[in-house]
Amino acid sequence: MTPEEIAGTLTELFGTSAVATIAPGSWQIDTSTFRLLVLLSEDNTWLRVLLPILPIQQAQPFLEQFLEANFDDTQEVRYALYEGVIWGVFQHNIDTLVSADLSNAINRLASLHQAGLDNVFNRLIESRIRQIIQAAKQQGQSLQATMQTLERFYAEGMMGEINQTSQGREEVLTAWRRQLERLWNEG
């Protein structure tokens, strides 16, 4: 792709008012929800698209899950850490880049931005549930016995919120049951 084709693709995606050329081979896209940077390397051989996701202070407990997402989920984009910020990043050789790939990468970056911590938090929770399943199985517990233990923990106040209503507790236990049933035979 040429710089002109890149600019054209960005304009098609965001409109002329959102796309600003900040230097030759560098664009900034401002939307109501994010600021995207599109940068060519100094020798114009590589394109990098960057979107800040969240500060490292918020992301710190989930760094393992961010790296796992890079391996399993993010496809052509990646999470990266730079100057105290978790970024969504897409890099591609400009000679083999086509408009559809650039558009897809930008859409995926916007999706990562919108998800924020949701996906990595869910990945962390799922890993914890798998640990509970593994421990229960090592103790010879069945799925039903494991669920009864969790119900007892909630009834005794060892788990859950202090002021949790019975309806709230039932909703949480239903979610536990769904997750345990979904993951029980995998672990």
Side-chain angles (χ1 to χ4, degrees), residues 45-63:
T45 58
W46 280 89
L47 178 76
R48 180 181 290 172
V49 183
L50 305 160
L51 181 59
I53 306 293
L54 66 153
I56 188 64
Q57 297 89 340
Q58 293 175 359
Q60 192 73 43
F62 306 100
L63 289 180

Side-chain angles (χ1 to χ4, degrees), residues 24-157:
S26 300
W27 300 266
Q28 180 173 298
I29 295 87
D30 286 307
T31 72
S32 61
T33 54
F34 59 79
R35 174 176 284 166
L36 182 80
L37 297 172
V38 180
L39 310 170
L40 285 174
S41 63
E42 286 184 24
D43 62 1
N44 286 344
T45 58
W46 280 89
L47 178 76
R48 180 181 290 172
V49 183
L50 305 160
L51 181 59
I53 306 293
L54 66 153
I56 188 64
Q57 297 89 340
Q58 293 175 359
Q60 192 73 43
F62 306 100
L63 289 180
E64 182 178 336
Q65 287 71 35
F66 277 111
L67 290 175
E68 286 175 355
N70 277 349
F71 190 82
D72 288 334
D73 300 330
T74 59
Q75 296 180 6
E76 73 274 23
V77 299
R78 295 286 176 260
Y79 288 109
L81 172 63
Y82 183 71
E83 291 190 353
V85 175
I86 295 289
W87 295 78
V89 179
F90 171 73
Q91 297 184 111
H92 203 287
N93 182 308
I94 197 162
D95 290 335
T96 57
L97 182 64
V98 295
S99 181
D101 290 340
L102 177 58
S103 296
N104 289 338
I106 289 171
N107 288 332
R108 188 161 311 280
L109 289 170
S111 177
L112 292 180
H113 180 269
Q114 182 179 0
L117 284 176
D118 290 350
N119 294 340
V120 292
F121 179 76
N122 291 337
R123 185 180 281 274
L124 176 65
I125 295 303
E126 188 170 300
S127 76
R128 297 297 192 253
I129 292 171
R130 288 179 193 280
Q131 289 174 348
I132 289 168
I133 290 170
Q134 182 180 15
K137 285 183 174 183
Q138 286 174 347
Q139 294 174 12
Q141 286 186 357
S142 66
L143 171 60
Q144 189 58 36
T146 303
M147 197 61 219
Q148 288 172 350
T149 301
L150 288 171
E151 288 170 357
R152 190 183 86 236
F153 287 164
Y154 274 90
E156 294 174 358

